[in-house]
Amino acid sequence: MERVELRTDPPASRDVYCWHRGRAVAAMRAARYLYLGDRPRTAIVEDWHPCPCGAYENIRRPTEIVVSHLDPR
């Protein structure tokens, strides 16, 4: 069995602000997209966060993909 882990660089910030109102939006994301990174075992992770005003804020982060083998016990 294997575990796949996505490690962002730099670590993800908890505060996301609406581009329209400038206020903090909910930490819960509405969608996540993964794009091929420019180096092996990397991806670009794009999270979309909704704001009560109707706008969405998208955050893109370079991410390392780490695969570790787990002991099947």
Side-chain angles (χ1 to χ4, degrees), residues 14-18 21-27 49-52:
R14 294 181 189 252
D15 296 330
V16 177
Y17 294 93
C18 176
R21 295 183 353 173
R23 295 183 181 173
V25 296
H49 301 270
C51 180

Side-chain angles (χ1 to χ4, degrees), residues 2-4 9 17 25 28 32 49 57 66-67 70:
E2 296 177 334
R3 174 185 297 162
V4 177
D9 181 34
Y17 294 93
V25 296
M28 189 171 107
R32 171 171 270 185
H49 301 270
E57 179 63 35
V66 179
V67 179
L70 300 176

Side-chain angles (χ1 to χ4, degrees), residues 1-2 4 8 15-16 21 28 33 35 63 69 73:
M1 186 184 297
E2 296 177 334
V4 177
T8 59
D15 296 330
V16 177
R21 295 183 353 173
M28 189 171 107
Y33 297 96
Y35 302 101
T63 304
H69 299 280
R73 293 182 210 168

Side-chain angles (χ1 to χ4, degrees), residues 7-9 35-44 62-65:
R7 295 184 184 166
T8 59
D9 181 34
Y35 302 101
L36 184 62
D38 58 351
R39 296 178 318 226
R41 292 193 175 259
T42 62
I44 302 297
T63 304
E64 180 184 7
I65 302 168

